[in-house]
């Protein structure tokens, strides 16, 4: 049902775009398509975890169609990166999602930072949401860079689908809209796509403990202590692609997303029995915790008398 609804909205959104033509109402279409693109991203995520089909082949086919062709993200590259995150969530040395590319996640990373990351980290809590407007473009570029590597799997197929997506995407936008409106449409669509993606994943781990090589945790504690659930009911479940049950998702990544809410009370009760902290907050609170953490990490650069600790 979820896949069918999103597919209809995707086709309907582009049909509406073509029908409206040269109109400022297209900016609302850009907003709607940003939501649809993100929902497609959630489906690609679930396919990457083999939640939808029993075997690998149909998962790969659907993932390539949705990821590369549908939204312009290298599905194979992203799935590999995301699996590394699942293996070592919030680990400084092994989780690509906390690598200090622009944002830094610990005082140790601040101490080792230079250039743009060091400049940003001073007030990175304020930079966080503006930087998310570039996240979709970052993922598009990273997808191409990964597929240009000679070791990339399915290189020809993935590149063909990715190039086809952008030829059709840019071709349609610039064919229907005059140049200025087309640029504005792209800015709104891709900017909100990046913000929605970032706002969906940020509540899950940002602001939670950062692990280092000194931390030796078993599988359950490694997954639970670095993750945060977000409660809020059906609307939150739909808006966040059911990834708001992040603890259960990390413990059982192959579990179909609709079942995570059923597993949640069982997992929470078990964690209480064995004395493992289980964090569940509201959406706004989760953002507050993440932003406070980012601000505290950069404190050493705002206070001249304080040096970052290694």
């Amino acid at each position: 049902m979820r896949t069918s609804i999103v597919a209809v909205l995707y086709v309907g959104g582009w049909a509406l775009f073509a029908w409206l033509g040269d109109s400022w109402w297209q900016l609302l279409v850009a907003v709607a398509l940003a939501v649809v693109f993100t929902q497609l991203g959630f489906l690609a995520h679930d396919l990457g975890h083999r939640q939808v089909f029993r075997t690998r082949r149909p998962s790969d086919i659907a993932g390539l169609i949705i990821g590369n062709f549908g939204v312009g993200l290298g599905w194979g590259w992203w799935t590999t990166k995301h699996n590394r995150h699942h293996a070592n969530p919030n680990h400084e040395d092994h989780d690509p999602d906390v690598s200090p590319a622009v944002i830094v996640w610990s005082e140790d990373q601040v101490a080792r930072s230079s250039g743009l990351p060091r400049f940003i980290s001073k007030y990175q809590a304020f930079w966080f949401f503006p930087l998310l407007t570039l996240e979709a473009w970052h993922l598009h570029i990273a997808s191409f860079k990964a597929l240009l590597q000679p070791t990339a799997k399915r290189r020809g197929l993935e590149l063909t689908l990715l190039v086809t997506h952008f030829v059709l995407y840019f071709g349609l936008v610039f064919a229907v809209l005059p140049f200025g409106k087309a640029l504005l449409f792209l800015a709104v669509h891709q900017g909100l796509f990046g913000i929605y993606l970032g706002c969906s994943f940020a509540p899950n781990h940002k602001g939670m403990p950062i692990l280092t090589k000194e931390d030796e945790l078993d599988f359950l504690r490694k997954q639970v202590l670095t993750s945060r659930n977000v409660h809020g009911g059906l609307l939150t479940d739909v808006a966040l692609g059911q990834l708001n049950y992040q603890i259960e998702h990390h413990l059982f990544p192959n579990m179909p997303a609709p079942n995570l809410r059923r597993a949640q009370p069982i997992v929470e009760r078990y964690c209480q029995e064995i004395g493992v902290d289980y964090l569940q907050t509201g959406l706004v609170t989760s953002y507050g915790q993440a932003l406070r953490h980012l601000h505290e990490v950069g404190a050493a650069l705002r206070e001249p008398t304080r040096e970052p600790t290694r």
Side-chain angles (χ1 to χ4, degrees):
M1 182 185 295
R2 181 175 160 201
T3 305
S4 300
I5 291 172
V6 176
V8 168
L9 292 174
Y10 183 85
V11 174
W14 285 119
L16 178 61
F17 176 85
W19 178 74
L20 278 176
D22 182 4
S23 168
W24 287 108
W25 289 106
Q26 295 285 24
L27 296 184
L28 292 181
V29 178
V31 174
L33 283 173
V35 174
V36 174
F37 268 48
T38 306
Q39 289 291 327
L40 279 174
F42 294 153
L43 289 172
H45 165 274
D46 294 353
L47 287 160
H49 283 295
R50 314 295 182 213
Q51 295 179 14
V52 182
F53 299 102
R54 290 183 180 275
T55 57
R56 178 181 295 272
R57 183 174 175 79
S59 299
D60 287 345
I61 293 173
L64 290 170
I65 292 172
I66 291 174
N68 293 61
F69 181 74
V71 297
L73 300 180
W75 185 74
W77 159 76
W78 185 86
T79 299
T80 300
K81 180 178 81 74
H82 189 62
N83 286 339
R84 288 169 55 204
H85 156 72
H86 266 264
N88 291 283
N90 267 26
H91 195 291
E92 273 194 345
D93 301 320
H94 304 301
D95 183 358
D97 289 351
V98 292
S99 62
V102 177
I103 298 290
V104 294
W105 308 100
S106 69
E107 289 193 355
D108 182 61
Q109 289 181 344
V110 170
R112 292 183 278 113
S113 66
S114 60
L116 182 61
R118 192 171 184 85
F119 171 78
I120 293 291
S121 62
K122 190 173 183 179
Y123 293 104
Q124 60 184 0
F126 300 97
W127 282 101
F128 183 70
F129 288 108
L131 285 172
L132 287 181
T133 61
L134 303 175
E135 178 63 13
W137 295 113
H138 162 70
L139 292 173
H140 295 318
I141 294 170
S143 298
F144 274 106
K145 288 174 64 177
L147 288 172
L148 291 176
Q149 299 298 319
T151 56
K153 295 181 179 179
R154 296 186 300 258
R155 185 183 179 195
L157 175 60
E158 290 215 35
L159 269 176
T160 299
L161 291 172
L162 206 58
V163 169
T164 302
H165 167 83
F166 281 104
V167 168
L168 294 174
Y169 177 68
F170 288 123
L172 181 60
V173 170
F174 283 100
V176 171
L177 296 176
F179 187 77
K181 283 182 182 175
L183 290 180
L184 187 57
F185 178 92
L186 294 175
V188 172
H189 177 228
Q190 294 293 331
L192 291 180
F193 180 26
I195 290 175
Y196 189 1
L197 277 177
C199 287
S200 301
F201 287 97
N204 302 335
H205 301 282
K206 307 314 178 192
M208 299 301 291
I210 300 291
L211 304 181
T212 66
K213 59 185 177 182
E214 283 76 28
D215 295 300
E216 296 182 4
L217 302 176
D218 59 35
F219 174 79
L220 183 142
R221 286 168 176 80
K222 180 165 62 173
Q223 304 298 336
V224 174
L225 297 177
T226 60
S227 303
R228 177 198 295 111
N229 275 15
V230 176
H231 58 70
L234 179 62
L235 181 60
T236 302
D237 290 1
V238 173
L240 298 182
Q242 298 170 99
L243 293 175
N244 47 310
Y245 301 103
Q246 190 67 192
I247 294 174
E248 289 70 33
H249 172 57
H250 263 257
L251 290 173
F252 310 103
N254 299 101
M255 180 181 289
N259 289 331
L260 294 174
R261 62 182 179 84
R262 297 183 174 92
Q264 187 276 323
I266 302 172
V267 173
E268 183 178 19
R269 185 166 59 249
Y270 180 70
C271 287
Q272 290 173 348
E273 290 174 0
I274 64 174
V276 174
D277 289 340
Y278 180 104
L279 181 59
Q280 185 168 222
T281 72
L283 185 61
V284 175
T285 301
S286 72
Y287 289 134
Q289 291 174 352
L291 293 174
R292 280 194 297 273
H293 171 76
L294 291 176
H295 199 57
E296 290 168 2
V297 164
L301 299 179
R302 298 191 302 274
E303 302 170 14
T305 59
R306 176 178 171 181
E307 290 296 324
T309 57
R310 289 187 179 273

